[in-house]
Amino acid sequence: MVRLLALMAFLIMGAVASLAAHAAGVPKPVIKIENPGQCIAATEDMRVNHMNMLGHQRDRSLRQGIRGEKANLNGCINCHASKTTGSVIGKDGFCESCHTYTAVKVDCWQCHQPKAGYKAAGIKP
Amino acid sequence: MTEPNDKSRRGFLGAAAVGAAGLGVAAIAPGLHLIEVSQASAPSQGASSKVRWGMLIDTTKCASGCDACVKACNTENGINEVLKDPRQASQWIRKIDLKDPKSGIAHSLPMMCQHCEHPPCVDVCPTGASMKRADGIVLVDRHTCIGCRYCMLACPYKARSFVHMTLTEQNPEVPRGQGCVESCTFCVQRVDKGQIPACVEACANAEHNAMLFGDLNDLNSAIAQRVAQVKTTQVRADLKLNVGVRYQGI
Ligand code: SF4
Ligand code: SF4
């Protein structure tokens, strides 16, 4: 009986230790809201559905020319860009930090500008 | 066109739960947030098929050696990458100098996507990325473009370019990136705000006034009236593409 208890205690301690190690091994994403205020929807909704909102909006915007919808990528960027880097990507960037944590690759930034209010320059032809 | 499936299981369950809560208005259990409808201004109506955007270029006013339109286009659309091989550089608009060897008469003119009514680029595109808006503006949906460049071969006006390198300096309103084809958009981001394309504005600022932009369908517009009064030319009219960009004086 004593031996059994000891074994159980050992197993439980092992489990707790491994859980702790696990928790320490996966750093949680840094979610900094740089411009606190009213988002277009509740946090729970945004977490689950932001990709669908943006996916539908982009088609209407590009193909039908409907502008100024509630969900739009530049709107997200303008609120969520870091005050230090001006961007939503990079380490601890609003988009990148969660997407790295969840291992979901986003291709948005291959074409879209991740910096808020960025002024592009042209080259001499 | 990419329309993600709305009827996902999660969406269905959510809708069922809201229905059970009784129309899903106000009185929802604590911890369940109701989505506040944002009070932002209503979205625009979008492109209308009553409109046909077009451009009229007066080659008698266009000055040889002037590239104000090209510079303005590059700035507006964030075309600022420098390529090792300049032949690969994106050209949304370019200046062309023509000379008739017999008479010696010379013309200078800007050439860009002609925003065809029957665009071959759209016909050949295997993915549906090349598309024409209801108001006649021809665009590439980069979300769908696979970079096959079939449209570049199909376009009779050599209007399209392929982006060869990774870009980071885009204008937030003009997304563009490696691996996709692109061309003149009539500055759709400006037109949708009621402004004229950057090239047309730059030409007027340079006091050449060789470019006129407007709605070809609106009989009261300056462009429709000019097209009704003076002889204008569609480049390669024999192809019967009914282009939106017309030239005067060639
Ligand atoms: S000019 Fe070329 S790119 Fe523009 S609509 Fe016509 S075929 Fe397409
Ligand atoms: S390059 Fe893109 S837009 Fe052009 S034909 Fe291929 S998929 Fe269509």
Side-chain angles (χ1 to χ4, degrees), chain A residues 4 8 10 12 17 21 24 28 36 44 51 54 57 67 79 87-88 94 96 104 107 110 118 123-124:
Chain A
L4 186 64
M8 278 172 71
F10 177 76
I12 288 167
K28 285 274 191 296
E44 296 85 336
M51 66 301 273
L54 289 170
Q57 177 272 341
R67 303 278 183 161
C79 267
S87 174
V88 289
F94 186 80
E96 188 162 326
V104 178
D107 293 331
Q110 290 178 7
Y118 188 79
I123 42 153
K124 208 187 158 331

Side-chain angles (χ1 to χ4, degrees), chain A residues 8-28:
Chain A
M8 278 172 71
F10 177 76
L11 283 176
I12 288 167
M13 273 167 59
V16 167
S18 94
L19 263 180
H22 211 78
V26 185
K28 285 274 191 296

Side-chain angles (χ1 to χ4, degrees), chain B residues 22-36:
Chain B
L23 293 175
V25 203
I28 280 195
L32 273 184
H33 292 259
L34 247 199
I35 302 151
E36 290 256 324

Side-chain angles (χ1 to χ4, degrees), chain B residues 121 124-127 129-130 140 144-151 160 181:
Chain B
C121 57
V124 301
C125 178
T127 64
S130 269
V140 177
T144 324
C145 175
I146 53 170
C148 70
R149 292 168 256 188
Y150 201 168
C151 55
R160 292 205 157 174
V181 162

Side-chain angles (χ1 to χ4, degrees), chain B residues 56 212-215 218-229:
Chain B
L56 177 58
L212 182 59
F213 178 80
D215 178 5
D218 174 5
L219 298 180
N220 296 318
S221 71
I223 185 167
Q225 291 186 350
R226 275 261 293 279
V227 168
Q229 280 161 12

